[in-house]
């Protein structure tokens, strides 16, 4: 079945970088966008950006521009999200989520399914 | 600070009907962008509940329904069950010129009394 398998928890010091992976199984990786969403403990969901399925081009939320880099390795059906210059308020669960099917032409995408999340803790 | 506003909490007895609103503006829901709904159980990733305003993915009970009108959308849960106790989020797209992006609602905790 369709699954997004994320890498394990990370603990980083302020100022460091973290790279989270998201391996797709059960479908053609390059047929769907991949989005990244984060959630601080007890808080709501925040969209960080997405990678286009065809071109691999990325679109980032303004809040993260300059600090986030989303990449992929199509040979192993894996997407990556790297966040640099980490601060304590970057402590959160980071999720990858698949975009809608290729034949979807609606006004605004939905995300399904989601990975189980990767906990990133930033602490000195 | 999200541009989509939801009530922080709603509650109901088993079997009752509850609704969750998602209020946006002319740059998101009011601009015609679709609204999608997610259920997040404690300690779990969000699960798609409603997509494109009114559609249920296979496997989602028909107790869940969605609607959209003007600058708002709503999620209704009829025949409330104990397993419906969770956080619920709406999702849409905001076309603000300064920062276009996908936006989630503030989230609503549903409590089954």
């Amino acid at each position: 079945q369709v699954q997004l398998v994320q890498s394990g928890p990370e603990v980083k010091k302020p100022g460091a970088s973290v790279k989270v992976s998201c391996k797709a199984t059960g479908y053609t990786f390059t047929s769907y966008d991949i989005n990244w969403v984060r959630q601080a403990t007890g808080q709501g969901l925040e969209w960080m950006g997405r990678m286009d399925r065809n071109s691999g081009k990325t679109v980032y939320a303004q809040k993260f521009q300059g600090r986030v880099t989303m990449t992929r390795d199509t040979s192993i059906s894996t997407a990556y999200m790297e966040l640099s210059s980490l601060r304590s308020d970057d402590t959160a669960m980071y999720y990858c989520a698949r975009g809608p099917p290729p034949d979807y032409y609606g006004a605004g995408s939905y995300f399904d399914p989601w990975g189980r999340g990767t906990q990133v803790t930033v602490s000195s | 600070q999200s541009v989509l506003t939801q009530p922080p909490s709603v509650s109901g007895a088993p079997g009752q009907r509850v609704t969750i609103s998602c209020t946006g503006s002319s740059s998101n829901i009011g601009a015609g962008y679709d609204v999608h709904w997610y259920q997040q159980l404690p300690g779990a990733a969000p699960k798609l509940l409603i997509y494109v305003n009114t559609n249920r993915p296979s496997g989602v009970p028909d107790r869940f329904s969605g609607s959209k009108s003007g600058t708002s959308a709503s999620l209704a849960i009829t025949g409330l069950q104990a397993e419906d106790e969770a956080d619920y989020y709406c999702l849409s797209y905001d076309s603000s010129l300064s920062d276009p992006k996908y936006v989630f609602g503030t989230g609503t905790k549903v409590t089954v009394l």
Side-chain angles (χ1 to χ4, degrees), chain A residues 35 37 39 43-47 50 59-63 95 104 106-117, chain B residues 32-34 36 38 40 43-48 51-52 57 89 91-93 98-106:
Chain A
N35 292 266
V37 176
Q39 184 175 37
Q43 303 301 307
L45 300 164
E46 182 175 36
W47 181 76
R50 72 172 179 87
V59 177
Y60 303 137
Q62 188 178 78
K63 174 177 179 177
Y95 295 100
Y104 172 76
S109 297
Y110 55 91
F111 312 147
D112 179 59
W114 296 49
R116 298 180 71 173
Chain B
Y33 290 101
D34 293 324
H36 320 288
Y38 291 87
Q40 187 175 32
K47 171 192 166 187
L48 183 66
Y51 66 100
V52 190
Y89 295 91
L91 165 68
S92 189
Y93 183 79
S98 58
D99 183 21
K101 61 180 183 284
Y102 284 95
V103 288
F104 290 91
T106 49

Side-chain angles (χ1 to χ4, degrees), chain B residues 20-24 29 35 37 53 67-69 71-75:
Chain B
I20 301 169
S21 59
C22 174
T23 303
I29 299 173
V35 178
W37 290 91
N53 309 315
S67 64
K68 175 190 164 187
S69 178
T71 58
S72 295
S74 289
L75 174 72

Side-chain angles (χ1 to χ4, degrees), chain B residues 45-102:
Chain B
K47 171 192 166 187
L48 183 66
L49 209 56
I50 297 288
Y51 66 100
V52 190
N53 309 315
T54 61
N55 299 278
R56 276 178 289 106
S58 61
V60 173
D62 59 6
R63 303 184 291 104
F64 295 92
S65 62
S67 64
K68 175 190 164 187
S69 178
T71 58
S72 295
S74 289
L75 174 72
I77 310 174
T78 56
L80 195 63
Q81 297 184 5
E83 63 255 38
D84 299 333
E85 193 160 285
D87 293 325
Y88 293 81
Y89 295 91
C90 57
L91 165 68
S92 189
Y93 183 79
D94 190 274
S95 58
S96 163
L97 287 174
S98 58
D99 183 21
K101 61 180 183 284
Y102 284 95

Side-chain angles (χ1 to χ4, degrees), chain B residues 9-32:
Chain B
S9 63
V10 299
S11 61
Q16 284 191 328
R17 179 180 188 269
V18 297
T19 61
I20 301 169
S21 59
C22 174
T23 303
S25 68
S26 59
S27 64
N28 41 69
I29 299 173

